[in-house]
Coordinates of all heavy atoms in Angstrom, one line a residue:
M30 N 171.6 137.5 152.9 CA 171.5 136.2 153.5 C 170.3 136.1 154.5 O 170.3 135.4 155.5 CB 172.8 135.8 154.2 CG 174.0 135.6 153.3 SD 173.7 134.4 152.0 CE 174.0 132.9 153.0
H31 N 169.3 136.9 154.2 CA 168.2 137.0 155.1 C 167.5 135.6 155.2 O 166.8 135.4 156.2 CB 167.2 138.1 154.8 CG 166.3 137.8 153.7 ND1 166.8 137.5 152.4 CD2 165.0 137.5 153.6 CE1 165.7 137.2 151.6 NE2 164.6 137.2 152.4
E32 N 167.6 134.8 154.2 CA 166.9 133.5 154.2 C 167.4 132.6 155.3 O 166.7 131.8 155.8 CB 166.8 132.9 152.8 CG 168.2 132.4 152.3 CD 168.9 133.4 151.5 OE1 168.6 134.6 151.7 OE2 169.8 133.1 150.7
I33 N 168.7 132.8 155.6 CA 169.3 132.0 156.7 C 168.7 132.3 158.1 O 168.4 131.5 158.9 CB 170.9 132.2 156.7 CG1 171.5 131.6 155.4 CG2 171.5 131.5 158.0 CD1 171.4 130.1 155.2
V34 N 168.5 133.6 158.2 CA 167.9 134.1 159.5 C 166.5 133.6 159.6 O 166.1 133.1 160.7 CB 167.8 135.7 159.5 CG1 167.2 136.2 160.7 CG2 169.2 136.2 159.4
I35 N 165.7 133.6 158.5 CA 164.3 133.1 158.5 C 164.4 131.6 158.8 O 163.6 131.0 159.6 CB 163.6 133.4 157.2 CG1 163.5 134.9 157.0 CG2 162.3 132.7 157.1 CD1 163.0 135.3 155.6
A36 N 165.3 130.9 158.1 CA 165.4 129.4 158.3 C 165.8 129.1 159.8 O 165.2 128.1 160.3 CB 166.5 128.9 157.4
E37 N 166.7 129.8 160.3 CA 167.1 129.6 161.7 C 165.9 129.7 162.7 O 165.8 129.0 163.6 CB 168.3 130.5 162.1 CG 169.6 130.0 161.6 CD 170.7 131.0 161.8 OE1 170.5 132.2 162.2 OE2 171.9 130.6 161.6
R38 N 165.1 130.7 162.4 CA 163.9 131.0 163.2 C 163.0 129.8 163.1 O 162.4 129.4 164.2 CB 163.3 132.3 162.8 CG 162.6 133.0 163.9 CD 162.1 134.4 163.4 NE 161.2 134.2 162.3 CZ 161.0 135.1 161.3 NH1 161.7 136.2 161.3 NH2 160.1 134.9 160.4
I39 N 162.8 129.3 161.9 CA 161.8 128.2 161.8 C 162.4 126.9 162.4 O 161.6 126.2 163.1 CB 161.6 127.9 160.2 CG1 160.8 129.1 159.7 CG2 160.9 126.6 160.0 CD1 160.7 129.1 158.2
V40 N 163.7 126.7 162.3 CA 164.3 125.5 162.9 C 164.2 125.6 164.4 O 163.8 124.6 165.1 CB 165.8 125.3 162.4 CG1 166.5 124.3 163.3 CG2 165.8 125.0 161.0
K41 N 164.4 126.7 165.0 CA 164.3 127.0 166.4 C 162.9 126.7 166.9 O 162.7 126.0 167.9 CB 164.8 128.4 166.7 CG 165.1 128.6 168.2 CD 165.6 130.1 168.4 CE 165.3 130.5 169.8 NZ 165.4 132.0 169.9
E42 N 162.0 127.2 166.2 CA 160.6 127.1 166.5 C 160.1 125.6 166.4 O 159.5 125.1 167.3 CB 159.7 127.9 165.5 CG 158.3 128.3 165.8 CD 158.2 129.1 167.1 OE1 159.1 130.0 167.3 OE2 157.3 128.9 167.8
A43 N 160.6 124.9 165.3 CA 160.2 123.5 165.1 C 160.8 122.6 166.2 O 160.2 121.6 166.6 CB 160.6 123.1 163.8
K44 N 162.0 123.0 166.7 CA 162.7 122.2 167.7 C 162.0 122.2 169.0 O 162.2 121.3 169.9 CB 164.1 122.6 167.8 CG 165.0 122.0 166.8 CD 166.5 122.4 167.0 CE 167.3 121.7 165.9 NZ 168.7 122.2 165.9
K45 N 161.1 123.2 169.2 CA 160.3 123.2 170.5 C 159.4 122.0 170.6 O 158.9 121.7 171.7 CB 159.5 124.5 170.5 CG 160.3 125.7 170.8 CD 159.4 127.0 170.8 CE 160.2 128.3 171.0 NZ 159.4 129.5 170.7
F46 N 159.1 121.4 169.4 CA 158.2 120.2 169.4 C 159.0 119.0 169.8 O 158.4 117.9 169.8 CB 157.5 120.1 168.1 CG 156.6 121.2 167.7 CD1 157.0 122.3 167.0 CD2 155.3 121.2 168.2 CE1 156.1 123.3 166.7 CE2 154.4 122.2 167.9 CZ 154.8 123.3 167.1
G47 N 160.3 119.1 170.0 CA 161.1 117.9 170.4 C 162.0 117.4 169.3 O 162.4 118.2 168.4
D48 N 162.2 116.2 169.3 CA 163.2 115.6 168.3 C 162.4 115.2 167.0 O 161.7 114.2 167.0 CB 163.8 114.3 168.9 CG 165.0 113.8 168.1 OD1 165.5 114.6 167.3 OD2 165.4 112.7 168.3
I49 N 162.5 116.1 166.0 CA 161.6 115.9 164.8 C 162.5 115.6 163.6 O 163.7 115.9 163.6 CB 160.7 117.1 164.6 CG1 161.6 118.3 164.2 CG2 159.9 117.5 165.8 CD1 160.8 119.4 163.5
N50 N 161.9 115.1 162.6 CA 162.7 114.9 161.3 C 161.9 115.4 160.1 O 162.3 115.1 158.9 CB 163.2 113.5 161.2 CG 162.1 112.5 161.3 OD1 161.0 112.7 160.9 ND2 162.4 111.4 162.0
E51 N 160.8 116.0 160.3 CA 159.9 116.4 159.2 C 159.2 117.7 159.7 O 158.7 117.8 160.8 CB 158.9 115.3 158.9 CG 158.4 115.5 157.5 CD 157.4 114.4 157.1 OE1 157.8 113.2 157.4 OE2 156.4 114.7 156.4
V52 N 159.2 118.7 158.8 CA 158.4 119.9 159.1 C 157.6 120.4 157.9 O 158.0 120.3 156.7 CB 159.4 121.0 159.6 CG1 160.4 121.5 158.5 CG2 158.7 122.2 160.1
S53 N 156.4 120.8 158.2 CA 155.5 121.3 157.1 C 155.3 122.8 157.4 O 155.0 123.2 158.5 CB 154.2 120.7 157.2 OG 154.3 119.3 156.9
I54 N 155.6 123.6 156.4 CA 155.6 125.1 156.5 C 154.6 125.7 155.5 O 154.6 125.2 154.3 CB 157.0 125.6 156.2 CG1 158.0 125.0 157.3 CG2 157.0 127.2 156.3 CD1 159.4 125.1 156.8
V55 N 153.9 126.7 155.9 CA 153.1 127.5 154.9 C 153.9 128.8 154.7 O 154.3 129.5 155.6 CB 151.7 127.8 155.5 CG1 151.1 128.9 154.7 CG2 150.8 126.6 155.5
L56 N 154.1 129.1 153.4 CA 154.9 130.3 153.0 C 153.9 131.2 152.2 O 153.4 130.8 151.1 CB 156.1 129.8 152.1 CG 156.8 130.9 151.4 CD1 157.6 131.8 152.4 CD2 157.8 130.3 150.5
G57 N 153.6 132.3 152.8 CA 152.8 133.3 152.1 C 153.4 133.8 150.8 O 154.6 134.1 150.8
E58 N 152.7 133.9 149.8 CA 153.3 134.4 148.5 C 153.8 135.8 148.5 O 154.5 136.2 147.6 CB 152.3 134.2 147.3 CG 151.1 135.1 147.4 CD 150.3 135.0 146.1 OE1 150.7 134.4 145.1 OE2 149.2 135.7 146.0
L59 N 153.4 136.6 149.5 CA 153.9 138.0 149.6 C 155.2 138.1 150.4 O 155.7 139.2 150.7 CB 152.8 138.9 150.2 CG 151.5 138.9 149.4 CD1 150.5 139.8 150.1 CD2 151.7 139.3 148.0
C60 N 155.7 136.9 150.9 CA 157.0 136.9 151.7 C 158.1 137.2 150.7 O 158.1 136.7 149.6 CB 157.2 135.6 152.4 SG 156.0 135.3 153.7
N61 N 159.2 137.8 151.2 CA 160.3 138.1 150.3 C 161.3 137.0 150.3 O 162.5 137.3 150.2 CB 160.9 139.5 150.7 CG 161.4 139.5 152.1 OD1 161.4 138.5 152.8 ND2 161.8 140.7 152.6
I62 N 160.8 135.8 150.2 CA 161.7 134.7 150.1 C 160.9 133.6 149.2 O 159.7 133.5 149.3 CB 162.0 134.1 151.5 CG1 163.0 132.9 151.4 CG2 160.8 133.7 152.3 CD1 163.6 132.5 152.7
T63 N 161.6 132.9 148.4 CA 160.9 131.9 147.5 C 161.0 130.6 148.2 O 161.8 130.4 149.2 CB 161.6 131.8 146.2 OG1 162.9 131.2 146.3 CG2 161.7 133.1 145.4
K64 N 160.1 129.7 147.7 CA 160.1 128.3 148.3 C 161.4 127.6 148.2 O 161.9 127.0 149.2 CB 159.0 127.6 147.5 CG 158.7 126.2 147.9 CD 157.6 125.6 147.0 CE 157.5 124.1 147.3 NZ 156.4 123.5 146.6
D65 N 162.1 127.8 147.1 CA 163.4 127.1 146.9 C 164.5 127.7 147.8 O 165.3 127.0 148.4 CB 163.9 127.3 145.5 CG 163.1 126.4 144.5 OD1 162.3 125.6 145.0 OD2 163.2 126.6 143.3
E66 N 164.4 129.0 148.0 CA 165.4 129.7 148.9 C 165.2 129.2 150.3 O 166.2 128.9 151.0 CB 165.2 131.2 148.9 CG 165.9 131.9 147.7 CD 165.5 133.4 147.6 OE1 164.6 133.8 148.4 OE2 166.1 134.0 146.8
L67 N 163.9 129.2 150.7 CA 163.6 128.7 152.1 C 164.0 127.3 152.3 O 164.7 127.0 153.3 CB 162.1 128.9 152.4 CG 161.6 128.6 153.8 CD1 162.3 129.5 154.8 CD2 160.1 128.7 153.9
Q68 N 163.7 126.4 151.4 CA 164.0 125.0 151.5 C 165.5 124.8 151.6 O 166.0 124.1 152.4 CB 163.4 124.3 150.3 CG 163.8 122.8 150.3 CD 162.6 121.9 149.8 OE1 161.6 122.4 149.3 NE2 162.8 120.6 149.8
G69 N 166.2 125.5 150.7 CA 167.7 125.4 150.6 C 168.3 125.9 151.9 O 169.3 125.3 152.4
A70 N 167.8 127.0 152.5 CA 168.4 127.5 153.7 C 168.2 126.6 154.9 O 169.1 126.4 155.7 CB 167.8 128.9 153.9
I71 N 167.0 126.0 155.0 CA 166.7 125.1 156.1 C 167.6 123.9 156.0 O 168.1 123.4 157.0 CB 165.2 124.7 156.1 CG1 164.3 125.9 156.4 CG2 165.0 123.6 157.2 CD1 162.8 125.7 156.3
Q72 N 167.8 123.4 154.7 CA 168.6 122.2 154.5 C 170.1 122.4 154.9 O 170.8 121.5 155.0 CB 168.5 121.7 153.1 CG 167.2 120.9 152.9 CD 166.9 120.7 151.4 OE1 167.3 121.4 150.5 NE2 166.0 119.7 151.2
T73 N 170.5 123.7 154.9 CA 171.9 123.9 155.4 C 172.1 123.8 156.9 O 173.2 123.7 157.4 CB 172.4 125.3 154.9 OG1 171.6 126.3 155.6 CG2 172.3 125.6 153.5
I74 N 170.9 123.8 157.6 CA 171.0 123.7 159.0 C 170.6 122.3 159.5 O 171.3 121.8 160.4 CB 170.0 124.7 159.7 CG1 170.2 126.2 159.1 CG2 170.1 124.8 161.2 CD1 169.1 127.2 159.5
V75 N 169.6 121.7 159.0 CA 169.1 120.4 159.4 C 168.8 119.5 158.2 O 168.6 120.0 157.1 CB 167.8 120.5 160.3 CG1 168.1 121.1 161.6 CG2 166.7 121.3 159.5
N76 N 168.8 118.2 158.4 CA 168.5 117.3 157.3 C 167.1 116.8 157.4 O 166.9 115.6 157.2 CB 169.6 116.2 157.2 CG 169.7 115.4 158.4 OD1 169.0 115.6 159.4 ND2 170.5 114.4 158.4
W77 N 166.2 117.6 157.8 CA 164.8 117.2 157.9 C 164.1 117.1 156.5 O 164.6 117.7 155.6 CB 164.0 118.2 158.7 CG 164.4 118.4 160.1 CD1 165.1 117.6 160.9 CD2 164.1 119.6 160.9 NE1 165.3 118.1 162.1 CE2 164.7 119.3 162.2 CE3 163.4 120.7 160.7 CZ2 164.6 120.2 163.2 CZ3 163.3 121.6 161.8 CH2 163.9 121.4 163.0
K78 N 163.0 116.4 156.5 CA 162.2 116.4 155.3 C 161.4 117.7 155.4 O 160.8 118.0 156.4 CB 161.3 115.2 155.3 CG 160.5 115.1 154.0 CD 159.7 113.8 154.0 CE 158.8 113.6 152.8 NZ 157.7 114.6 152.8
I79 N 161.4 118.5 154.3 CA 160.7 119.8 154.4 C 159.6 119.9 153.4 O 159.8 119.6 152.2 CB 161.7 120.9 154.1 CG1 162.9 120.8 155.1 CG2 161.1 122.3 154.2 CD1 164.2 121.5 154.6
D80 N 158.4 120.2 153.9 CA 157.3 120.3 153.0 C 156.8 121.8 153.0 O 156.4 122.3 154.1 CB 156.2 119.3 153.5 CG 155.0 119.3 152.6 OD1 155.2 119.5 151.4 OD2 153.9 119.0 153.1
I81 N 156.9 122.5 151.9 CA 156.5 123.9 151.9 C 155.3 124.1 151.0 O 155.3 123.7 149.8 CB 157.6 124.8 151.5 CG1 158.8 124.6 152.4 CG2 157.2 126.3 151.4 CD1 160.1 125.4 151.9
L82 N 154.3 124.7 151.6 CA 153.0 125.0 150.9 C 153.0 126.5 150.7 O 153.0 127.2 151.6 CB 151.9 124.5 151.7 CG 150.5 124.4 151.0 CD1 150.4 123.0 150.4 CD2 149.4 124.6 152.0
V83 N 152.8 126.9 149.4 CA 152.7 128.4 149.2 C 151.3 128.8 149.3 O 150.4 128.2 148.6 CB 153.3 128.7 147.8 CG1 153.2 130.2 147.5 CG2 154.8 128.4 147.8
E84 N 151.0 129.8 150.1 CA 149.7 130.3 150.3 C 149.4 131.5 149.5 O 150.2 132.4 149.4 CB 149.6 130.6 151.8 CG 148.2 131.1 152.2 CD 148.1 131.4 153.7 OE1 148.9 132.3 154.2 OE2 147.3 130.8 154.4
E85 N 148.3 131.4 148.8 CA 147.8 132.6 148.0 C 147.5 133.7 148.9 O 147.0 133.6 150.0 CB 146.6 132.1 147.2 CG 146.4 132.9 145.9 CD 145.3 132.4 145.1 OE1 144.1 132.7 145.3 OE2 145.6 131.6 144.1
S86 N 147.7 134.9 148.4 CA 147.5 136.1 149.2 C 146.0 136.6 149.2 O 145.2 136.2 148.4 CB 148.3 137.3 148.7 OG 147.9 137.6 147.4
K87 N 145.7 137.3 150.3 CA 144.4 138.0 150.3 C 144.7 139.4 150.9 O 145.3 139.5 152.0 CB 143.4 137.2 151.2 CG 142.1 137.9 151.2 CD 141.0 137.0 151.9 CE 139.6 137.6 151.6 NZ 139.0 138.3 152.7
I88 N 144.2 140.4 150.2 CA 144.4 141.7 150.7 C 143.1 142.5 150.8 O 142.1 142.0 150.1 CB 145.4 142.5 149.7 CG1 144.8 142.5 148.3 CG2 146.8 142.0 149.8 CD1 145.3 143.6 147.4
E89 N 143.1 143.5 151.5 CA 142.0 144.4 151.5 C 142.5 145.8 151.3 O 143.5 146.2 151.8 CB 141.2 144.3 152.9 CG 140.2 143.2 152.9 CD 139.5 143.0 154.2 OE1 139.7 143.8 155.1 OE2 138.8 142.0 154.3
C90 N 141.7 146.6 150.5 CA 142.2 147.9 150.2 C 141.2 149.0 150.5 O 140.0 148.7 150.6 CB 142.5 147.9 148.7 SG 143.2 149.5 148.1
S91 N 141.6 150.2 150.6 CA 140.7 151.3 150.9 C 139.8 151.6 149.8 O 138.8 152.3 149.9 CB 141.6 152.6 151.2 OG 142.4 152.8 150.1
C92 N 140.0 151.0 148.6 CA 139.1 151.2 147.4 C 138.0 150.1 147.4 O 137.2 150.0 146.5 CB 139.8 151.1 146.1 SG 140.4 149.5 145.7
D93 N 138.0 149.3 148.5 CA 137.0 148.3 148.7 C 137.3 147.0 148.0 O 136.5 146.0 148.0 CB 135.5 148.7 148.2 CG 134.9 149.5 149.4 OD1 135.4 149.4 150.5 OD2 133.8 150.1 149.1
Y94 N 138.5 146.9 147.4 CA 138.9 145.7 146.7 C 139.3 144.7 147.8 O 139.9 145.0 148.8 CB 140.1 145.9 145.8 CG 140.7 144.6 145.3 CD1 140.2 144.0 144.1 CD2 141.8 144.0 145.9 CE1 140.7 142.8 143.7 CE2 142.3 142.8 145.5 CZ 141.8 142.2 144.3 OH 142.3 141.0 143.9
S95 N 138.9 143.5 147.6 CA 139.3 142.4 148.5 C 139.6 141.2 147.7 O 138.8 140.8 146.8 CB 138.2 142.1 149.5 OG 138.4 141.0 150.2
G96 N 140.8 140.6 147.8 CA 141.2 139.4 147.0 C 142.7 139.3 146.9 O 143.4 139.7 147.8
K97 N 143.1 138.7 145.8 CA 144.5 138.4 145.6 C 145.3 139.7 145.3 O 144.8 140.5 144.6 CB 144.6 137.4 144.4 CG 145.8 136.5 144.4 CD 145.6 135.5 143.3 CE 146.8 134.7 142.9 NZ 148.1 135.2 143.0
A98 N 146.5 139.8 145.9 CA 147.3 140.9 145.6 C 147.9 140.9 144.2 O 148.1 139.8 143.7 CB 148.5 141.0 146.6
N99 N 148.2 142.0 143.7 CA 148.9 142.1 142.4 C 150.4 142.2 142.7 O 150.9 143.2 143.2 CB 148.5 143.4 141.7 CG 149.2 143.6 140.4 OD1 149.6 142.7 139.7 ND2 149.5 144.9 140.2
I100 N 151.2 141.1 142.4 CA 152.6 141.1 142.7 C 153.3 141.7 141.5 O 153.2 141.2 140.4 CB 153.1 139.6 143.0 CG1 152.4 139.1 144.3 CG2 154.6 139.6 143.1 CD1 152.7 137.7 144.6
I101 N 154.0 142.8 141.7 CA 154.7 143.5 140.7 C 156.0 142.9 140.4 O 156.4 142.7 139.3 CB 154.8 145.0 141.1 CG1 153.5 145.7 141.3 CG2 155.6 145.8 140.0 CD1 153.5 146.9 142.2
D102 N 156.7 142.7 141.5 CA 158.1 142.1 141.3 C 158.5 141.4 142.6 O 158.1 141.8 143.7 CB 159.1 143.2 141.0 CG 160.4 142.7 140.4 OD1 160.4 141.5 140.1 OD2 161.3 143.5 140.3
K103 N 159.1 140.3 142.4 CA 159.6 139.5 143.6 C 160.9 138.9 143.2 O 161.1 138.4 142.2 CB 158.5 138.4 143.8 CG 158.8 137.6 145.0 CD 157.7 136.6 145.4 CE 158.2 135.6 146.4 NZ 157.2 135.3 147.4
G104 N 161.8 139.1 144.1 CA 163.2 138.6 143.9 C 163.9 138.3 145.2 O 163.2 138.1 146.2
H105 N 165.2 138.2 145.2 CA 165.9 137.9 146.4 C 165.8 139.0 147.4 O 166.4 140.1 147.3 CB 167.4 137.6 146.0 CG 168.1 137.0 147.1 ND1 168.1 135.7 147.4 CD2 168.9 137.6 148.1 CE1 168.9 135.5 148.5 NE2 169.3 136.7 148.9
G106 N 165.0 138.8 148.4 CA 164.9 139.7 149.5 C 163.9 140.8 149.4 O 163.8 141.7 150.2
Y107 N 163.0 140.7 148.3 CA 162.0 141.7 148.2 C 160.8 141.1 147.5 O 160.9 140.2 146.7 CB 162.5 142.9 147.5 CG 162.9 142.7 146.0 CD1 161.9 142.9 145.0 CD2 164.1 142.3 145.7 CE1 162.3 142.7 143.7 CE2 164.5 142.0 144.4 CZ 163.5 142.3 143.4 OH 163.8 142.0 142.1
C108 N 159.6 141.7 147.8 CA 158.4 141.4 147.2 C 157.6 142.6 147.1 O 157.2 143.2 148.1 CB 157.6 140.3 147.9 SG 156.1 139.8 147.1
I109 N 157.3 143.1 145.9 CA 156.6 144.4 145.7 C 155.2 144.0 145.2 O 155.1 143.3 144.2 CB 157.3 145.3 144.8 CG1 158.7 145.6 145.3 CG2 156.5 146.6 144.6 CD1 159.7 146.2 144.3
F110 N 154.2 144.5 145.9 CA 152.8 144.2 145.5 C 151.9 145.4 145.7 O 152.3 146.3 146.5 CB 152.3 143.0 146.2 CG 152.3 143.1 147.7 CD1 151.1 143.6 148.3 CD2 153.4 142.8 148.4 CE1 151.1 143.7 149.7 CE2 153.4 142.9 149.8 CZ 152.2 143.4 150.5
N111 N 150.8 145.4 145.1 CA 149.8 146.5 145.3 C 148.4 146.0 145.1 O 148.2 144.8 144.8 CB 150.1 147.7 144.5 CG 150.0 147.5 143.0 OD1 149.5 146.5 142.5 ND2 150.5 148.5 142.2
C112 N 147.5 146.9 145.1 CA 146.1 146.6 144.9 C 145.9 146.5 143.3 O 146.3 147.5 142.6 CB 145.2 147.6 145.5 SG 143.5 147.5 144.9
P113 N 145.4 145.4 142.8 CA 145.2 145.4 141.3 C 144.1 146.4 140.8 O 144.1 146.6 139.6 CB 144.7 143.9 141.1 CG 144.2 143.4 142.4 CD 144.9 144.2 143.5
N114 N 143.3 146.9 141.7 CA 142.3 147.8 141.3 C 142.7 149.3 141.2 O 142.6 150.0 140.2 CB 141.1 147.6 142.3 CG 139.9 148.4 141.9 OD1 139.5 148.5 140.7 ND2 139.2 149.0 142.8
C115 N 143.4 149.7 142.3 CA 143.7 151.2 142.4 C 145.2 151.4 142.5 O 145.7 152.5 142.5 CB 143.0 151.8 143.5 SG 143.6 151.3 145.1
H116 N 146.0 150.3 142.6 CA 147.5 150.3 142.7 C 148.0 151.0 143.9 O 149.2 151.4 144.0 CB 148.1 150.9 141.4 CG 147.6 150.3 140.2 ND1 147.8 149.0 139.9 CD2 146.7 150.8 139.2 CE1 147.2 148.7 138.7 NE2 146.5 149.7 138.3
K117 N 147.2 151.1 145.0 CA 147.7 151.6 146.3 C 148.2 150.4 147.1 O 148.0 149.3 146.7 CB 146.6 152.3 147.0 CG 146.3 153.7 146.6 CD 145.3 154.3 147.6 CE 144.6 155.5 146.9 NZ 143.3 155.7 147.4
K118 N 148.9 150.7 148.2 CA 149.4 149.7 149.0 C 148.2 149.2 149.9 O 147.7 149.9 150.7 CB 150.5 150.2 149.9 CG 151.3 149.0 150.5 CD 152.7 149.4 150.8 CE 153.4 148.3 151.7 NZ 153.4 147.0 151.0
P119 N 147.8 147.9 149.8 CA 146.7 147.4 150.6 C 147.2 146.8 151.9 O 148.3 146.7 152.2 CB 146.2 146.3 149.7 CG 147.5 145.8 149.0 CD 148.4 146.9 148.9
S120 N 146.2 146.4 152.7 CA 146.4 145.7 154.0 C 146.5 144.2 153.7 O 145.6 143.7 152.9 CB 145.3 145.9 155.0 OG 145.1 147.3 155.2
V121 N 147.5 143.5 154.2 CA 147.6 142.1 154.0 C 146.8 141.3 155.0 O 146.9 141.5 156.2 CB 149.1 141.7 154.0 CG1 149.2 140.2 153.8 CG2 149.9 142.4 153.0
I122 N 145.9 140.5 154.5 CA 145.0 139.7 155.4 C 145.7 138.3 155.5 O 145.7 137.7 156.5 CB 143.6 139.6 154.8 CG1 143.0 140.9 154.6 CG2 142.7 138.7 155.8 CD1 142.8 141.8 155.7
K123 N 146.1 137.8 154.4 CA 146.7 136.5 154.3 C 147.8 136.5 153.3 O 147.8 137.2 152.3 CB 145.6 135.5 153.8 CG 145.7 134.1 154.3 CD 144.4 133.3 153.9 CE 144.5 132.9 152.4 NZ 143.4 132.1 152.0
G124 N 148.8 135.6 153.5 CA 149.8 135.4 152.5 C 151.1 136.3 152.8 O 152.0 136.3 151.9
G125 N 151.2 136.9 154.0 CA 152.3 137.7 154.3 C 153.2 137.1 155.3 O 154.2 137.8 155.7
D126 N 153.0 135.9 155.7 CA 153.8 135.3 156.8 C 154.2 133.9 156.5 O 153.7 133.3 155.6 CB 153.2 135.5 158.2 CG 151.8 134.7 158.2 OD1 151.3 134.2 157.2 OD2 151.2 134.7 159.3
I127 N 155.1 133.4 157.3 CA 155.6 132.1 157.2 C 155.3 131.4 158.6 O 155.5 131.9 159.6 CB 157.1 132.0 157.1 CG1 157.6 132.8 155.8 CG2 157.7 130.6 157.0 CD1 159.1 133.0 155.7
R128 N 154.7 130.2 158.5 CA 154.4 129.5 159.8 C 154.5 128.0 159.6 O 154.3 127.5 158.5 CB 153.0 129.9 160.3 CG 151.9 129.7 159.4 CD 150.5 130.2 159.9 NE 149.5 129.7 159.1 CZ 149.1 130.3 157.9 NH1 149.6 131.4 157.5 NH2 148.1 129.7 157.3
I129 N 154.7 127.4 160.8 CA 154.9 125.9 160.8 C 153.5 125.4 161.0 O 152.7 125.8 161.9 CB 155.8 125.5 162.0 CG1 157.2 126.0 161.7 CG2 155.8 124.0 162.2 CD1 158.1 125.9 162.9
I130 N 153.1 124.4 160.2 CA 151.8 123.9 160.3 C 151.8 122.4 160.8 O 150.8 121.9 161.2 CB 150.9 123.9 159.0 CG1 151.6 123.4 157.8 CG2 150.4 125.3 158.8 CD1 150.7 123.1 156.6
G131 N 153.0 121.8 160.8 CA 153.1 120.5 161.3 C 154.5 120.0 161.5 O 155.4 120.5 160.7
V132 N 154.8 119.1 162.4 CA 156.1 118.5 162.5 C 155.9 117.0 162.8 O 154.8 116.6 163.2 CB 156.9 119.1 163.7 CG1 157.2 120.5 163.5 CG2 156.1 118.9 165.1
K133 N 156.9 116.2 162.4 CA 156.9 114.8 162.7 C 158.2 114.3 163.3 O 159.2 114.9 163.0 CB 156.6 114.0 161.4 CG 155.2 113.8 161.1 CD 155.0 112.9 159.8 CE 153.6 113.1 159.3 NZ 153.6 112.6 157.9
Ligands
LIG13 ZN1 142.6 149.4 145.9

């Protein structure tokens, strides 16, 4: 039920902006939660309008590769990815986090 924990954190964060009824979130594609899971989890806590934008990943690797990560498998609570060039574990530059980009 890790998505509930993530949802609670987002709701708590969004409430700092005051009395809101709409939230826009960026969800990195390397996060171990899907758009539907996140949306569903937030909806169990609040009845806000939820707008989730999935952000494409960007990684950098020791082999000099820079670009989109190779997602091997993604499911409930996990996301496994590597460098598409050398298959090592790269550094995540973008697409590994969840953040609020707007509230109304
Ligand atoms: Zn590499």
